[in-house]
Amino acid sequence: RDDALAIIAASDILVHPSLEDALSSAIIEALMLEKPIVATDISGVRDSLGDGDYGVIVPPGDFVALGDAIEEISTDLASARVRARLGREHILSYMDAKQVAGQHQDVYGSLLNE
């Protein structure tokens, strides 16, 4: 969709109940927009959400846990927004282009030295 960012920006909470996803751009976009997040524990979510520091992580396919997490965030939206704001800072640091490039350089350098 070409209006995905506008939809996320208009939302109070991003709910990402996926069963699989390599690295969810929706999670990253929601963090950049400082939106509270409920997401399933699939590839990349723990890294993006700082092991749950910046959003609520639930087991994939667990609709009860998903509902409970949505209710948890809904009842204390102010705290969830603070966590989301900190999540934005986390993702900017975690995905900093210079840092990521340096890590790639380190990996390739170690492979060349072997």
Side-chain angles (χ1 to χ4, degrees):
R1 297 185 60 132
D2 60 358
D3 60 348
L5 286 177
I7 292 170
I8 294 171
S11 302
D12 289 321
I13 302 169
L14 177 87
V15 179
H16 195 270
S18 292
L19 298 176
E20 59 181 70
D21 196 347
L23 180 62
S24 174
S25 59
I27 299 284
I28 295 164
E29 290 161 350
L31 285 170
M32 291 302 297
L33 292 168
E34 299 180 4
K35 296 299 177 177
I37 299 170
V38 174
T40 49
D41 194 4
I42 57 172
S43 179
V45 167
R46 286 201 171 273
D47 292 335
S48 296
L49 293 181
D51 282 326
D53 289 341
Y54 312 115
V56 179
I57 303 171
V58 299
D62 187 339
F63 65 90
V64 173
L66 185 69
D68 290 346
I70 294 168
E71 185 175 354
E72 173 190 328
I73 284 183
S74 297
T75 57
D76 191 2
L77 206 48
S79 292
R81 286 182 176 140
V82 169
R83 290 171 68 187
R85 191 173 315 114
L86 294 171
R88 182 179 195 279
E89 294 172 18
H90 162 73
I91 210 72
L92 284 170
S93 171
Y94 177 68
M95 295 192 143
D96 175 71
K98 194 172 190 177
Q99 177 181 310
V100 171
Q103 291 171 346
H104 279 90
Q105 185 175 5
D106 292 346
V107 169
Y108 288 123
S110 69
L111 290 172
L112 289 172
N113 290 330
E114 289 182 6

